[in-house]
PDB file of all heavy atoms in Angstrom:
ATOM      1  N   ALA A   1       2.230   1.695   1.572  1.00  0.00           N
ATOM      2  CA  ALA A   1       1.224   0.966   0.778  1.00  0.00           C
ATOM      3  C   ALA A   1       1.857  -0.060  -0.153  1.00  0.00           C
ATOM      4  O   ALA A   1       1.279  -1.108  -0.419  1.00  0.00           O
ATOM      5  CB  ALA A   1       0.373   1.954  -0.018  1.00  0.00           C
ATOM      6  N   ARG A   2       3.056   0.250  -0.634  1.00  0.00           N
ATOM      7  CA  ARG A   2       3.700  -0.648  -1.593  1.00  0.00           C
ATOM      8  C   ARG A   2       4.523  -1.742  -0.937  1.00  0.00           C
ATOM      9  O   ARG A   2       4.984  -2.663  -1.618  1.00  0.00           O
ATOM     10  CB  ARG A   2       4.605   0.167  -2.528  1.00  0.00           C
ATOM     11  CG  ARG A   2       5.847   0.741  -1.853  1.00  0.00           C
ATOM     12  CD  ARG A   2       6.633   1.637  -2.787  1.00  0.00           C
ATOM     13  NE  ARG A   2       5.845   2.783  -3.198  1.00  0.00           N
ATOM     14  CZ  ARG A   2       6.174   3.607  -4.196  1.00  0.00           C
ATOM     15  NH1 ARG A   2       7.286   3.393  -4.875  1.00  0.00           N
ATOM     16  NH2 ARG A   2       5.409   4.629  -4.498  1.00  0.00           N
ATOM     17  N   ASN A   3       4.734  -1.635   0.349  1.00  0.00           N
ATOM     18  CA  ASN A   3       5.609  -2.566   1.063  1.00  0.00           C
ATOM     19  C   ASN A   3       4.774  -3.664   1.716  1.00  0.00           C
ATOM     20  O   ASN A   3       4.044  -3.413   2.689  1.00  0.00           O
ATOM     21  CB  ASN A   3       6.405  -1.808   2.130  1.00  0.00           C
ATOM     22  CG  ASN A   3       7.337  -2.717   2.909  1.00  0.00           C
ATOM     23  OD1 ASN A   3       7.436  -3.922   2.642  1.00  0.00           O
ATOM     24  ND2 ASN A   3       8.023  -2.153   3.897  1.00  0.00           N
ATOM     25  N   PRO A   4       4.834  -4.904   1.231  1.00  0.00           N
ATOM     26  CA  PRO A   4       4.007  -5.976   1.801  1.00  0.00           C
ATOM     27  C   PRO A   4       4.347  -6.292   3.252  1.00  0.00           C
ATOM     28  O   PRO A   4       3.546  -6.932   3.950  1.00  0.00           O
ATOM     29  CB  PRO A   4       4.284  -7.163   0.888  1.00  0.00           C
ATOM     30  CG  PRO A   4       5.624  -6.891   0.285  1.00  0.00           C
ATOM     31  CD  PRO A   4       5.705  -5.398   0.133  1.00  0.00           C
ATOM     32  N   TYR A   5       5.503  -5.821   3.731  1.00  0.00           N
ATOM     33  CA  TYR A   5       5.895  -6.073   5.108  1.00  0.00           C
ATOM     34  C   TYR A   5       5.441  -4.959   6.051  1.00  0.00           C
ATOM     35  O   TYR A   5       5.583  -5.099   7.270  1.00  0.00           O
ATOM     36  CB  TYR A   5       7.406  -6.259   5.200  1.00  0.00           C
ATOM     37  CG  TYR A   5       7.891  -7.452   4.409  1.00  0.00           C
ATOM     38  CD1 TYR A   5       8.449  -7.285   3.148  1.00  0.00           C
ATOM     39  CD2 TYR A   5       7.768  -8.749   4.906  1.00  0.00           C
ATOM     40  CE1 TYR A   5       8.873  -8.373   2.404  1.00  0.00           C
ATOM     41  CE2 TYR A   5       8.185  -9.848   4.179  1.00  0.00           C
ATOM     42  CZ  TYR A   5       8.744  -9.648   2.920  1.00  0.00           C
ATOM     43  OH  TYR A   5       9.158 -10.736   2.186  1.00  0.00           O
ATOM     44  N   ALA A   6       4.912  -3.874   5.488  1.00  0.00           N
ATOM     45  CA  ALA A   6       4.376  -2.799   6.314  1.00  0.00           C
ATOM     46  C   ALA A   6       2.928  -3.119   6.667  1.00  0.00           C
ATOM     47  O   ALA A   6       2.135  -3.486   5.797  1.00  0.00           O
ATOM     48  CB  ALA A   6       4.446  -1.472   5.560  1.00  0.00           C
ATOM     49  N   PHE A   7       2.585  -3.001   7.939  1.00  0.00           N
ATOM     50  CA  PHE A   7       1.238  -3.317   8.413  1.00  0.00           C
ATOM     51  C   PHE A   7       0.772  -4.662   7.848  1.00  0.00           C
ATOM     52  O   PHE A   7      -0.231  -4.740   7.124  1.00  0.00           O
ATOM     53  CB  PHE A   7       0.258  -2.196   8.035  1.00  0.00           C
ATOM     54  CG  PHE A   7       0.720  -0.819   8.423  1.00  0.00           C
ATOM     55  CD1 PHE A   7       0.882   0.177   7.468  1.00  0.00           C
ATOM     56  CD2 PHE A   7       1.003  -0.520   9.752  1.00  0.00           C
ATOM     57  CE1 PHE A   7       1.309   1.439   7.822  1.00  0.00           C
ATOM     58  CE2 PHE A   7       1.420   0.758  10.125  1.00  0.00           C
ATOM     59  CZ  PHE A   7       1.580   1.736   9.154  1.00  0.00           C
ATOM     60  N   PRO A   8       1.482  -5.742   8.144  1.00  0.00           N
ATOM     61  CA  PRO A   8       1.170  -7.043   7.545  1.00  0.00           C
ATOM     62  C   PRO A   8      -0.246  -7.514   7.838  1.00  0.00           C
ATOM     63  O   PRO A   8      -0.804  -8.317   7.084  1.00  0.00           O
ATOM     64  CB  PRO A   8       2.222  -7.976   8.153  1.00  0.00           C
ATOM     65  CG  PRO A   8       2.676  -7.286   9.402  1.00  0.00           C
ATOM     66  CD  PRO A   8       2.612  -5.831   9.096  1.00  0.00           C
ATOM     67  N   GLU A   9      -0.853  -6.991   8.909  1.00  0.00           N
ATOM     68  CA  GLU A   9      -2.220  -7.411   9.222  1.00  0.00           C
ATOM     69  C   GLU A   9      -3.208  -6.959   8.143  1.00  0.00           C
ATOM     70  O   GLU A   9      -4.286  -7.565   7.986  1.00  0.00           O
ATOM     71  CB  GLU A   9      -2.648  -6.861  10.590  1.00  0.00           C
ATOM     72  CG  GLU A   9      -2.660  -5.344  10.707  1.00  0.00           C
ATOM     73  CD  GLU A   9      -1.320  -4.758  11.102  1.00  0.00           C
ATOM     74  OE1 GLU A   9      -0.285  -5.443  10.915  1.00  0.00           O
ATOM     75  OE2 GLU A   9      -1.303  -3.612  11.587  1.00  0.00           O
ATOM     76  N   LEU A  10      -2.868  -5.917   7.390  1.00  0.00           N
ATOM     77  CA  LEU A  10      -3.755  -5.500   6.306  1.00  0.00           C
ATOM     78  C   LEU A  10      -3.864  -6.584   5.240  1.00  0.00           C
ATOM     79  O   LEU A  10      -4.922  -6.762   4.628  1.00  0.00           O
ATOM     80  CB  LEU A  10      -3.255  -4.191   5.676  1.00  0.00           C
ATOM     81  CG  LEU A  10      -3.313  -2.946   6.559  1.00  0.00           C
ATOM     82  CD1 LEU A  10      -2.765  -1.741   5.801  1.00  0.00           C
ATOM     83  CD2 LEU A  10      -4.734  -2.672   7.027  1.00  0.00           C
ATOM     84  N   LEU A  11      -2.780  -7.304   5.031  1.00  0.00           N
ATOM     85  CA  LEU A  11      -2.809  -8.428   4.093  1.00  0.00           C
ATOM     86  C   LEU A  11      -3.368  -9.676   4.754  1.00  0.00           C
ATOM     87  O   LEU A  11      -4.277 -10.333   4.225  1.00  0.00           O
ATOM     88  CB  LEU A  11      -1.408  -8.700   3.555  1.00  0.00           C
ATOM     89  CG  LEU A  11      -1.251  -9.945   2.669  1.00  0.00           C
ATOM     90  CD1 LEU A  11      -2.144  -9.837   1.429  1.00  0.00           C
ATOM     91  CD2 LEU A  11       0.204 -10.139   2.275  1.00  0.00           C
ATOM     92  N   LEU A  12      -2.862 -10.012   5.939  1.00  0.00           N
ATOM     93  CA  LEU A  12      -3.208 -11.277   6.582  1.00  0.00           C
ATOM     94  C   LEU A  12      -4.664 -11.306   7.050  1.00  0.00           C
ATOM     95  O   LEU A  12      -5.325 -12.348   6.983  1.00  0.00           O
ATOM     96  CB  LEU A  12      -2.268 -11.537   7.755  1.00  0.00           C
ATOM     97  CG  LEU A  12      -0.786 -11.690   7.389  1.00  0.00           C
ATOM     98  CD1 LEU A  12       0.062 -11.816   8.643  1.00  0.00           C
ATOM     99  CD2 LEU A  12      -0.582 -12.894   6.477  1.00  0.00           C
ATOM    100  N   GLU A  13      -5.155 -10.170   7.549  1.00  0.00           N
ATOM    101  CA  GLU A  13      -6.500 -10.132   8.125  1.00  0.00           C
ATOM    102  C   GLU A  13      -7.541  -9.546   7.179  1.00  0.00           C
ATOM    103  O   GLU A  13      -8.734  -9.863   7.294  1.00  0.00           O
ATOM    104  CB  GLU A  13      -6.483  -9.335   9.432  1.00  0.00           C
ATOM    105  CG  GLU A  13      -5.584  -9.928  10.497  1.00  0.00           C
ATOM    106  CD  GLU A  13      -5.464  -9.050  11.728  1.00  0.00           C
ATOM    107  OE1 GLU A  13      -6.259  -8.082  11.837  1.00  0.00           O
ATOM    108  OE2 GLU A  13      -4.574  -9.317  12.561  1.00  0.00           O
ATOM    109  N   GLU A  14      -7.108  -8.676   6.248  1.00  0.00           N
ATOM    110  CA  GLU A  14      -8.070  -7.994   5.385  1.00  0.00           C
ATOM    111  C   GLU A  14      -7.875  -8.300   3.905  1.00  0.00           C
ATOM    112  O   GLU A  14      -8.667  -7.863   3.069  1.00  0.00           O
ATOM    113  CB  GLU A  14      -7.985  -6.479   5.621  1.00  0.00           C
ATOM    114  CG  GLU A  14      -8.259  -6.072   7.060  1.00  0.00           C
ATOM    115  CD  GLU A  14      -8.163  -4.574   7.284  1.00  0.00           C
ATOM    116  OE1 GLU A  14      -8.593  -3.811   6.377  1.00  0.00           O
ATOM    117  OE2 GLU A  14      -7.664  -4.154   8.345  1.00  0.00           O
ATOM    118  N   GLY A  15      -6.812  -9.050   3.593  1.00  0.00           N
ATOM    119  CA  GLY A  15      -6.585  -9.450   2.209  1.00  0.00           C
ATOM    120  C   GLY A  15      -6.180  -8.320   1.286  1.00  0.00           C
ATOM    121  O   GLY A  15      -6.371  -8.409   0.073  1.00  0.00           O
ATOM    122  N   LEU A  16      -5.597  -7.246   1.839  1.00  0.00           N
ATOM    123  CA  LEU A  16      -5.240  -6.077   1.044  1.00  0.00           C
ATOM    124  C   LEU A  16      -3.787  -6.179   0.581  1.00  0.00           C
ATOM    125  O   LEU A  16      -2.851  -5.998   1.356  1.00  0.00           O
ATOM    126  CB  LEU A  16      -5.453  -4.795   1.856  1.00  0.00           C
ATOM    127  CG  LEU A  16      -6.911  -4.521   2.253  1.00  0.00           C
ATOM    128  CD1 LEU A  16      -7.001  -3.324   3.172  1.00  0.00           C
ATOM    129  CD2 LEU A  16      -7.782  -4.322   1.007  1.00  0.00           C
ATOM    130  N   GLU A  17      -3.617  -6.471  -0.690  1.00  0.00           N
ATOM    131  CA  GLU A  17      -2.292  -6.611  -1.277  1.00  0.00           C
ATOM    132  C   GLU A  17      -1.604  -5.244  -1.388  1.00  0.00           C
ATOM    133  O   GLU A  17      -2.252  -4.203  -1.484  1.00  0.00           O
ATOM    134  CB  GLU A  17      -2.406  -7.220  -2.678  1.00  0.00           C
ATOM    135  CG  GLU A  17      -3.010  -8.617  -2.713  1.00  0.00           C
ATOM    136  CD  GLU A  17      -2.002  -9.695  -2.358  1.00  0.00           C
ATOM    137  OE1 GLU A  17      -0.804  -9.364  -2.190  1.00  0.00           O
ATOM    138  OE2 GLU A  17      -2.418 -10.868  -2.266  1.00  0.00           O
ATOM    139  N   ALA A  18      -0.277  -5.251  -1.391  1.00  0.00           N
ATOM    140  CA  ALA A  18       0.502  -4.027  -1.563  1.00  0.00           C
ATOM    141  C   ALA A  18       0.148  -3.359  -2.885  1.00  0.00           C
ATOM    142  O   ALA A  18      -0.199  -4.024  -3.872  1.00  0.00           O
ATOM    143  CB  ALA A  18       1.989  -4.345  -1.499  1.00  0.00           C
ATOM    144  N   TRP A  19       0.251  -2.017  -2.885  1.00  0.00           N
ATOM    145  CA  TRP A  19      -0.090  -1.258  -4.085  1.00  0.00           C
ATOM    146  C   TRP A  19       0.819  -0.040  -4.196  1.00  0.00           C
ATOM    147  O   TRP A  19       1.078   0.652  -3.204  1.00  0.00           O
ATOM    148  CB  TRP A  19      -1.544  -0.787  -4.058  1.00  0.00           C
ATOM    149  CG  TRP A  19      -1.902   0.048  -5.250  1.00  0.00           C
ATOM    150  CD1 TRP A  19      -2.038   1.407  -5.298  1.00  0.00           C
ATOM    151  CD2 TRP A  19      -2.133  -0.417  -6.584  1.00  0.00           C
ATOM    152  NE1 TRP A  19      -2.354   1.824  -6.565  1.00  0.00           N
ATOM    153  CE2 TRP A  19      -2.418   0.719  -7.381  1.00  0.00           C
ATOM    154  CE3 TRP A  19      -2.120  -1.673  -7.175  1.00  0.00           C
ATOM    155  CZ2 TRP A  19      -2.696   0.624  -8.745  1.00  0.00           C
ATOM    156  CZ3 TRP A  19      -2.402  -1.773  -8.532  1.00  0.00           C
ATOM    157  CH2 TRP A  19      -2.683  -0.643  -9.306  1.00  0.00           C
ATOM    158  N   THR A  20       1.295   0.229  -5.409  1.00  0.00           N
ATOM    159  CA  THR A  20       2.139   1.401  -5.675  1.00  0.00           C
ATOM    160  C   THR A  20       1.344   2.464  -6.415  1.00  0.00           C
ATOM    161  O   THR A  20       0.944   2.265  -7.569  1.00  0.00           O
ATOM    162  CB  THR A  20       3.371   1.010  -6.511  1.00  0.00           C
ATOM    163  OG1 THR A  20       4.167   0.078  -5.783  1.00  0.00           O
ATOM    164  CG2 THR A  20       4.201   2.247  -6.845  1.00  0.00           C
ATOM    165  N   ALA A  21       1.081   3.571  -5.745  1.00  0.00           N
ATOM    166  CA  ALA A  21       0.517   4.748  -6.412  1.00  0.00           C
ATOM    167  C   ALA A  21       1.671   5.465  -7.111  1.00  0.00           C
ATOM    168  O   ALA A  21       2.678   5.803  -6.490  1.00  0.00           O
ATOM    169  CB  ALA A  21      -0.154   5.664  -5.399  1.00  0.00           C
ATOM    170  N   ARG A  22       1.519   5.714  -8.394  1.00  0.00           N
ATOM    171  CA  ARG A  22       2.661   6.129  -9.197  1.00  0.00           C
ATOM    172  C   ARG A  22       2.955   7.628  -9.137  1.00  0.00           C
ATOM    173  O   ARG A  22       4.040   8.066  -9.533  1.00  0.00           O
ATOM    174  CB  ARG A  22       2.431   5.711 -10.648  1.00  0.00           C
ATOM    175  CG  ARG A  22       2.343   4.194 -10.813  1.00  0.00           C
ATOM    176  CD  ARG A  22       1.787   3.804 -12.153  1.00  0.00           C
ATOM    177  NE  ARG A  22       2.622   4.295 -13.253  1.00  0.00           N
ATOM    178  CZ  ARG A  22       2.218   4.350 -14.514  1.00  0.00           C
ATOM    179  NH1 ARG A  22       0.991   3.971 -14.838  1.00  0.00           N
ATOM    180  NH2 ARG A  22       3.029   4.795 -15.454  1.00  0.00           N
ATOM    181  N   GLU A  23       2.000   8.409  -8.645  1.00  0.00           N
ATOM    182  CA  GLU A  23       2.230   9.853  -8.626  1.00  0.00           C
ATOM    183  C   GLU A  23       1.367  10.488  -7.541  1.00  0.00           C
ATOM    184  O   GLU A  23       0.292  10.003  -7.214  1.00  0.00           O
ATOM    185  CB  GLU A  23       1.873  10.447  -9.998  1.00  0.00           C
ATOM    186  CG  GLU A  23       2.447  11.827 -10.271  1.00  0.00           C
ATOM    187  CD  GLU A  23       2.390  12.151 -11.768  1.00  0.00           C
ATOM    188  OE1 GLU A  23       1.346  12.668 -12.218  1.00  0.00           O
ATOM    189  OE2 GLU A  23       3.371  11.858 -12.477  1.00  0.00           O
ATOM    190  N   VAL A  24       1.879  11.585  -6.969  1.00  0.00           N
ATOM    191  CA  VAL A  24       1.141  12.373  -5.984  1.00  0.00           C
ATOM    192  C   VAL A  24       1.109  13.824  -6.460  1.00  0.00           C
ATOM    193  O   VAL A  24       2.134  14.344  -6.923  1.00  0.00           O
ATOM    194  CB  VAL A  24       1.802  12.294  -4.586  1.00  0.00           C
ATOM    195  CG1 VAL A  24       1.051  13.174  -3.593  1.00  0.00           C
ATOM    196  CG2 VAL A  24       1.848  10.852  -4.090  1.00  0.00           C
ATOM    197  N   TRP A  25      -0.059  14.467  -6.341  1.00  0.00           N
ATOM    198  CA  TRP A  25      -0.175  15.899  -6.601  1.00  0.00           C
ATOM    199  C   TRP A  25      -0.489  16.582  -5.279  1.00  0.00           C
ATOM    200  O   TRP A  25      -1.454  16.228  -4.598  1.00  0.00           O
ATOM    201  CB  TRP A  25      -1.290  16.199  -7.599  1.00  0.00           C
ATOM    202  CG  TRP A  25      -1.038  15.705  -8.995  1.00  0.00           C
ATOM    203  CD1 TRP A  25       0.029  14.987  -9.457  1.00  0.00           C
ATOM    204  CD2 TRP A  25      -1.888  15.905 -10.127  1.00  0.00           C
ATOM    205  NE1 TRP A  25      -0.093  14.720 -10.781  1.00  0.00           N
ATOM    206  CE2 TRP A  25      -1.266  15.274 -11.239  1.00  0.00           C
ATOM    207  CE3 TRP A  25      -3.113  16.545 -10.318  1.00  0.00           C
ATOM    208  CZ2 TRP A  25      -1.839  15.284 -12.508  1.00  0.00           C
ATOM    209  CZ3 TRP A  25      -3.680  16.552 -11.577  1.00  0.00           C
ATOM    210  CH2 TRP A  25      -3.051  15.939 -12.671  1.00  0.00           C
ATOM    211  N   LEU A  26       0.340  17.538  -4.899  1.00  0.00           N
ATOM    212  CA  LEU A  26       0.189  18.255  -3.639  1.00  0.00           C
ATOM    213  C   LEU A  26      -0.492  19.600  -3.867  1.00  0.00           C
ATOM    214  O   LEU A  26      -0.151  20.332  -4.808  1.00  0.00           O
ATOM    215  CB  LEU A  26       1.554  18.481  -2.994  1.00  0.00           C
ATOM    216  CG  LEU A  26       2.388  17.227  -2.705  1.00  0.00           C
ATOM    217  CD1 LEU A  26       3.767  17.624  -2.198  1.00  0.00           C
ATOM    218  CD2 LEU A  26       1.675  16.323  -1.709  1.00  0.00           C
ATOM    219  N   VAL A  27      -1.443  19.937  -2.995  1.00  0.00           N
ATOM    220  CA  VAL A  27      -2.133  21.220  -3.073  1.00  0.00           C
ATOM    221  C   VAL A  27      -1.736  22.090  -1.885  1.00  0.00           C
ATOM    222  O   VAL A  27      -1.390  21.586  -0.817  1.00  0.00           O
ATOM    223  CB  VAL A  27      -3.662  21.041  -3.110  1.00  0.00           C
ATOM    224  CG1 VAL A  27      -4.079  20.199  -4.296  1.00  0.00           C
ATOM    225  CG2 VAL A  27      -4.179  20.422  -1.819  1.00  0.00           C
TER     226      VAL A  27
END
């Protein structure tokens, strides 16, 4: 999600900019 080069079509075709989620809680 944070890497703009991962799945570039999400940015190019859907306009979804990279995003860093800062924490994960596992159940």
